[in-house]
């Protein structure tokens, strides 16, 4: 590579258009060196510059009284009380996870952990949002196995619990799975570390692992769709070391307890290039780097390779000039590399030297200010035609058994059993116990409520409604454990933005997120955009994954979904029997059709505020929001979680039974309470729709017609898929 001449053709290979390359020539005033071309190509990639999405992302609501830092830093920061802040973000590692599932997923976890502890926060929880192809596709089992092992292997070794997430299967992800990783950390709210460099002459310090050739042009690879030769891109996938990451967390947090750090940045996508350029650019200073001082694990690395390497477990810091020895001693104690590789200057330029030769000399301001910004054409998504009447072909009992065992609704125990959900000793609600994970804030009585949510089939049918529903469901899941929703992080996974129909999906989804966040006082404080999720021209479903965070003032008030005996069951919220885009429609009739359920944000707010108040008032034994599969699936999940049966009352006369029990109307919850009449009276006084559903007890789920389904048979169906699919011989 180092011997190649820099031409427009090479620039195209690096992902720059002819116009963008012309802009590079104008900025530099000459033909760039190979290293300079590499710097421009990664910094102007879709992955790093957000050149297709920035105009839309600016419309999102990002502020609230509790928001300390919104988008623009390594992660979002919100105040949670007791002088503390929650620091959180979600990012994608989609393309690497298709090419090399284990390392792709593992390094996705490692990267998002660094984004959080870079801000001065100790990571306390990991979550993930995973989308895989059809279980029948020959590659899906291998990808699922590798991704799950990668997430568990990295998170478990680094000692951060994986407490929640979601999994969907759909043929649209056959050639392009989505692996979105989320990390949450806790920090003193007045000790948040930022990335803007300052102080001419201050040392620029490299810490962590050595630099190798893994991950070179990873950011560029993430900014292009796959062709048939996708697996040949394996050299662009990074290799992770969670044990080094654990040491790096401890060393960085120890140094952060001093006054040594001026600025700090994770070497993530685009590695040393993005970290140095972003730090100096944000601070309005220049930066000079001596690559001979960069710790290297491979011989003969060129400047181009070192600047673009995405080797893992590395950080870049600007230190106070009188604190070098202190910092070096801390990193030596933790047996990590520490090297002064440069200084801040007043030139406003990035200057890179190797072996006494200038390999790059670039003005930083134009690199950022003249970065491409596209207002790409959008085509409005076609409206889904009305569904019409759909008769029930098999009856309630058989439909429930099929749904509870289908890949999208079956037990995920095979997955979460590979994750350590309790390391650290602060997990209050683990996967399967509640709608949101609940993690105690150590040393306080508070807890965080955490969730990831998106229903891609809704977004495919109506991107605006689907994206709003994803926000609303995250808000509901936090509410359903008793949490007060504070903020979200988003991960926007879409196809090729150069196609107007894809850009139309994206624009509509952003509009839906913005509308829901404003209505629910649930601002966006961080996020990630992952475009070009296509293989051979076929895009994934539009998937705007939402990571939600809320707080409980008293961890002990959190409720789960498991039922106990002798309780009244109440349905909160309106039911119209909406079957469009429902899992019942897909799994029982084989159709994905109709518009998704409408989202009334006023109804969401009214029902959710009522439910939260009821939980915090102490009168709710269990709560579950309604989503995939509708009411009967919700009740079956509650029965299985508590190992307690229930007997159901008759549905309303004006709705077909299957529509009432399997429709996916929004803004609904099921509550289990000791005395239903008390809550009914309160709901009616508050103008919140409420309906008696039945009563808990026994070991069967008994339908209104008297048909009893044993919990044992439900559990067998619910737990069968993953073990038998992953191990056909043993399952």
């Amino acid at each position: 590579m180092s011997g190649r001449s820099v031409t427009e053709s090479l620039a195209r290979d690096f992902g720059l258009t002819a116009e963008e390359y012309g802009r590079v020539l104008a900025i530099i005033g000459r033909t760039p060196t190979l290293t300079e071309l590499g710097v421009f190509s990664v910094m102007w990639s879709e992955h790093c510059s957000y050149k297709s999405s920035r105009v839309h992302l600016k419309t999102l609501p990002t502020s609230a009284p509790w928001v300390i830092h919104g988008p623009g830093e390594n992660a979002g920061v919100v105040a949670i009380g007791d002088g503390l802040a929650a620091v959180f973000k979600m990012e994608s590692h989609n393309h690497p996870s298709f090419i090399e599932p284990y390392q792709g997923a593992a390094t996705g976890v490692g990267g998002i952990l660094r984004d959080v502890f870079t801000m001065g926060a100790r990571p306390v929880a990991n979550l993930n949002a995973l989308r895989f192809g059809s279980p029948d596709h020959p590659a899906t089992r291998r990808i699922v196995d590798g991704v799950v092992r990668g997430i568990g292997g990295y998170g478990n070794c680094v000692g951060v619990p994986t407490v929640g997430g979601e999994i969907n299967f759909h043929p649209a992800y056959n050639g392009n799975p989505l692996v979105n990783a989320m990390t949450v950390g806790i920090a003193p709210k007045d000790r948040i570390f930022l990335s803007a460099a300052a102080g001419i002459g201050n040392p620029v310090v490299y810490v962590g692992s050595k630099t190798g050739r893994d991950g070179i042009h990873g950011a560029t690879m993430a900014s292009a769709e796959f062709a048939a030769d996708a697996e040949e891109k394996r050299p662009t996938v990074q290799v992770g070391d969670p044990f080094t990451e654990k040491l790096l967390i401890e060393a960085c947090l120890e140094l952060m307890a001093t006054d040594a750090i001026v600025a700090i940045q994770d070497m993530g996508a685009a590695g040393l290039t993005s970290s140095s350029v972003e730090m100096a650019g944000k601070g309005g200073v220049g930066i000079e780097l001596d690559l001979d001082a960069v710790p290297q694990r491979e011989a003969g690395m060129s400047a181009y390779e070192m600047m673009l390497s995405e080797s893992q477990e590395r950080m870049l810091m600007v230190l106070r000039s009188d604190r070098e020895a202190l910092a070096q001693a801390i990193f030596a104690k933790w047996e990590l590399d520490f090297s002064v590789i440069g200084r801040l200057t007043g030139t406003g330029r990035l200057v890179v030297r190797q072996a006494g030769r200038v390999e790059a000399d670039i003005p930083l301001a134009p690199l950022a200010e003249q970065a491409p910004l596209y207002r790409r054409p959008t085509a409005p998504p076609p409206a889904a035609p009305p569904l019409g009447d759909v008769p029930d072909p098999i009856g309630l009992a058989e439909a429930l058994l099929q749904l509870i065992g289908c890949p999208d609704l079956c037990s995920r125990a095979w997955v979460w059993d590979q994750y350590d959900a309790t390391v650290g000793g602060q997990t209050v609600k683990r996967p399967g116990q509640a709608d949101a994970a609940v993690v105690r804030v150590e040393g306080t009585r508070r807890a965080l409520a955490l969730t990831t949510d998106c229903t891609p089939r809704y977004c495919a049918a109506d991107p605006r409604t689907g994206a709003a529903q994803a926000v609303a469901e995250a808000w509901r899941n936090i509410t359903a454990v008793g949490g007060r929703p504070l903020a979200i992080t988003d991960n926007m996974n879409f196809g090729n933005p150069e196609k107007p129909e894809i850009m139309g999906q994206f624009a509509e989804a952003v509009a839906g997120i913005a509308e829901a966040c404003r209505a629910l006082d649930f601002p966006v404080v961080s996020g990630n955009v992952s475009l070009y999720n296509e293989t051979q021209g076929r895009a994934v479903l539009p998937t705007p994954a939402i990571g939600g965070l809320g707080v409980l003032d008293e961890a002990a008030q959190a409720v789960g979904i498991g039922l106990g005996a002798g309780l009244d069951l109440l349905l909160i919220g309106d039911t119209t029997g909406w079957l469009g885009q429902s899992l019942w429609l897909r799994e029982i009739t084989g159709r994905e059709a109709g518009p998704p359920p409408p989202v009334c944000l006023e109804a969401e707010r009214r029902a959710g505020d009522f439910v939260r108040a009821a939980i915090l008032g102490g009168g709710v034994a269990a709560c579950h929001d309604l989503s995939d599969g509708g009411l009967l699936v919700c009740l079956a999940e509650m029965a299985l979680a508590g190992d307690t049966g229930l007997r159901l009352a008759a549905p309303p006369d004006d709705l077909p039974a299957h529509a009432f029990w399997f429709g996916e109307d929004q803004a609904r919850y099921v509550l289990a309470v000791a005395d239903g009449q008390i809550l009914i009276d309160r709901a009616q006084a508050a103008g919140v729709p409420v309906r008696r559903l039945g009563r808990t007890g026994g070991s069967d789920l008994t339908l209104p017609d008297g048909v009893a389904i044993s919990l044992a048979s439900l559990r067998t169906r619910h737990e069968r898929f993953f073990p038998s699919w992953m191990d056909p011989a043993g399952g």
Side-chain angles (χ1 to χ4, degrees):
M1 175 64 76
S2 59
R4 293 187 65 178
S5 299
V6 173
T7 62
E8 184 179 311
S9 175
L10 182 61
R12 283 198 301 271
D13 290 346
F14 280 17
L16 295 172
T17 66
E19 180 185 353
E20 290 167 352
Y21 181 62
R23 197 176 301 179
V24 172
L25 295 177
I27 289 171
I28 297 184
R30 54 175 168 77
T31 300
T33 67
L34 182 67
T35 301
E36 290 169 339
L37 181 65
V39 168
F40 274 98
S41 70
V42 294
M43 293 309 299
W44 286 6
S45 69
E46 195 73 64
H47 191 78
C48 291
S49 75
Y50 293 80
K51 57 190 176 185
S52 296
S53 58
R54 290 204 312 271
V55 293
H56 300 284
L57 298 177
K58 288 179 179 179
T59 66
L60 293 171
T62 59
S63 61
W66 51 89
V67 174
I68 298 173
H69 292 289
E73 286 298 334
N74 286 295
V77 185
V78 296
I80 60 171
D82 293 327
L84 298 174
V87 180
F88 70 111
K89 188 180 183 183
M90 182 159 54
E91 279 205 343
S92 59
H93 234 217
N94 303 336
H95 286 69
S97 298
F98 174 71
I99 298 167
E100 214 303 301
Y102 183 93
Q103 290 296 347
T107 53
V109 174
I112 196 63
L113 282 165
R114 290 193 298 279
D115 277 340
V116 166
F117 74 76
T118 295
M119 305 283 291
R122 177 171 292 280
V124 298
N126 288 332
L127 298 90
N128 51 77
L130 311 176
R131 323 287 168 183
F132 298 114
S134 168
D136 297 332
H137 190 274
T140 302
R141 185 185 292 111
R142 173 185 62 84
I143 293 172
V144 171
D145 175 64
V147 165
V148 171
R149 285 190 298 107
I151 290 170
Y154 205 101
N156 296 353
C157 290
V158 85
V160 178
T162 301
V163 297
E166 55 177 342
I167 298 176
N168 293 136
F169 293 88
H170 194 280
Y173 303 106
N174 281 348
N176 198 132
L178 303 183
V179 176
N180 296 168
M182 175 176 167
T183 292
V184 183
I186 301 293
K189 73 175 187 178
D190 58 354
R191 291 286 290 171
I192 303 299
F193 288 80
L194 306 179
S195 56
I200 305 306
N202 275 340
V204 177
V205 176
Y206 173 118
V207 299
S209 292
K210 291 179 169 58
T211 293
R213 290 187 169 94
D214 52 321
I216 293 173
H217 265 297
T220 308
M221 181 267 289
S223 303
E225 61 184 82
F226 281 152
D229 62 349
E231 295 199 5
E232 296 177 14
K233 297 180 182 287
R234 188 169 281 109
T236 62
V237 178
Q238 310 94 325
V239 177
D241 179 355
F243 299 104
T244 298
E245 181 105 338
K246 175 61 175 174
L247 300 178
L248 190 59
I249 291 172
E250 299 305 328
C252 286
L253 292 178
E254 183 174 338
L255 184 59
M256 286 166 169
T258 74
D259 61 352
I261 297 175
V262 176
I264 182 169
Q265 178 81 23
D266 163 41
M267 284 192 235
L272 188 53
T273 291
S274 64
S275 55
S276 59
V277 167
E278 290 175 7
M279 290 175 76
K282 286 180 180 178
V285 297
I287 188 168
E288 291 190 356
L289 301 177
D290 176 8
L291 298 187
D292 295 331
V294 171
Q296 301 164 53
R297 69 167 182 259
E298 298 185 47
M301 291 189 70
S302 67
Y304 165 86
E305 290 172 325
M306 278 190 275
M307 289 299 290
L308 271 67
S309 168
E310 293 184 8
S311 294
Q312 297 291 285
E313 294 86 40
R314 304 179 301 156
M315 311 285 281
L316 198 65
M317 299 179 179
V318 175
L319 300 180
R320 285 178 48 179
S321 57
D322 59 345
R323 292 293 188 268
E324 282 185 35
L326 168 67
Q328 187 164 12
I330 288 173
F331 280 86
K333 182 183 80 171
W334 291 100
E335 299 182 345
L336 294 168
D337 279 297
F338 176 101
S339 181
V340 177
I341 66 168
R343 301 278 168 182
L344 297 186
T345 70
T347 65
R349 301 182 74 85
L350 168 69
V351 178
V352 178
R353 293 185 174 89
Q354 184 183 33
R357 176 179 172 179
V358 174
E359 294 285 351
D361 187 348
I362 299 172
L364 286 167
L367 183 60
E369 294 167 4
Q370 297 184 37
L373 178 61
Y374 295 126
R375 292 172 173 81
R376 296 196 185 276
T378 61
L387 182 63
D389 293 334
V390 184
D392 179 0
I394 62 173
L396 300 182
E398 182 56 33
L400 176 60
L401 289 168
Q402 287 191 30
L403 283 168
I404 205 72
C406 77
D408 273 11
L409 289 175
C410 69
S411 169
R412 271 80 173 112
W414 180 90
V415 176
W416 70 56
D417 283 350
Q418 298 184 55
Y419 304 154
D420 191 335
T422 60
V423 63
Q426 302 305 313
T427 305
V428 178
K429 298 293 183 185
R430 295 174 296 170
Q433 293 183 334
D435 281 342
V438 180
V439 179
R440 184 180 292 103
V441 179
E442 190 170 7
T444 77
R445 298 167 70 174
R446 298 180 183 276
L448 300 178
L450 310 169
T451 185
T452 62
D453 294 286
C454 185
T455 309
R457 66 184 185 278
Y458 290 178
C459 299
D462 185 332
R464 182 182 293 237
T465 297
Q469 187 275 340
V471 173
E473 187 173 349
W475 193 86
R476 279 202 308 273
N477 282 335
I478 292 167
T479 294
V481 299
R484 182 172 71 254
L486 293 180
I488 70 165
T489 180
D490 58 28
N491 206 145
M492 307 292 285
N493 306 273
F494 289 78
N496 184 341
E498 298 165 46
K499 298 177 179 178
E501 63 273 21
I502 299 296
M503 209 61 222
Q505 291 175 344
F506 184 89
E508 285 291 292
V510 171
I513 291 172
E515 181 183 2
C517 287
R518 288 192 180 95
L520 300 173
D521 289 331
F522 205 28
V524 184
V525 297
S526 61
N528 171 250
V529 175
S530 176
L531 302 176
Y532 294 96
N533 287 290
E534 298 199 5
T535 298
Q536 295 181 281
R538 182 176 181 185
V540 299
L541 300 181
T543 311
I546 302 297
L549 179 143
V551 65
L552 292 98
D553 295 334
E554 299 283 344
Q557 292 183 309
V559 301
I561 67 171
L563 297 177
L567 299 172
D568 289 338
L569 295 169
L570 303 180
L571 172 62
I572 301 295
D574 264 328
T575 297
T576 68
W578 193 279
L579 290 175
Q581 296 300 327
S582 67
L583 278 183
W584 180 90
L585 187 71
R586 189 181 81 187
E587 297 296 322
I588 305 305
T589 75
R591 299 169 61 194
E592 291 187 23
V599 175
C600 175
L601 295 167
E602 182 181 348
E604 290 282 1
R605 188 67 182 259
R606 186 166 55 249
D609 288 348
F610 175 82
V611 167
R612 189 182 314 106
I615 292 171
L616 299 181
V620 177
C623 178
H624 198 358
D625 93 301
L626 273 76
S627 55
D628 280 352
L631 179 53
L632 199 51
V633 166
C634 168
L635 291 163
E637 290 172 344
M638 297 177 80
L640 291 172
D643 198 25
T644 300
L646 53 90
R647 177 176 290 274
L648 295 174
D653 294 334
D654 58 344
L655 285 178
H658 65 290
F660 177 77
W661 292 113
F662 297 115
E664 296 183 6
D665 297 276
Q666 301 295 293
R668 297 188 300 162
Y669 303 78
V670 169
L671 304 183
V673 298
D675 187 341
Q677 192 57 49
I678 293 174
L679 211 61
I680 289 172
D681 292 343
R682 290 177 183 170
Q684 290 173 342
V688 173
V690 61
R691 181 182 183 86
R692 283 188 184 270
L693 290 172
R695 192 162 173 83
T696 66
S699 57
D700 297 328
L701 190 159
T702 304
L703 298 172
D705 60 5
V707 173
I709 306 170
S710 71
L711 294 189
S713 62
L714 270 177
R715 195 176 304 281
T716 297
R717 287 289 190 107
H718 190 49
E719 296 178 353
R720 184 171 61 190
F721 171 74
F722 269 104
S724 62
W725 180 58
M726 296 305 298
D727 183 12

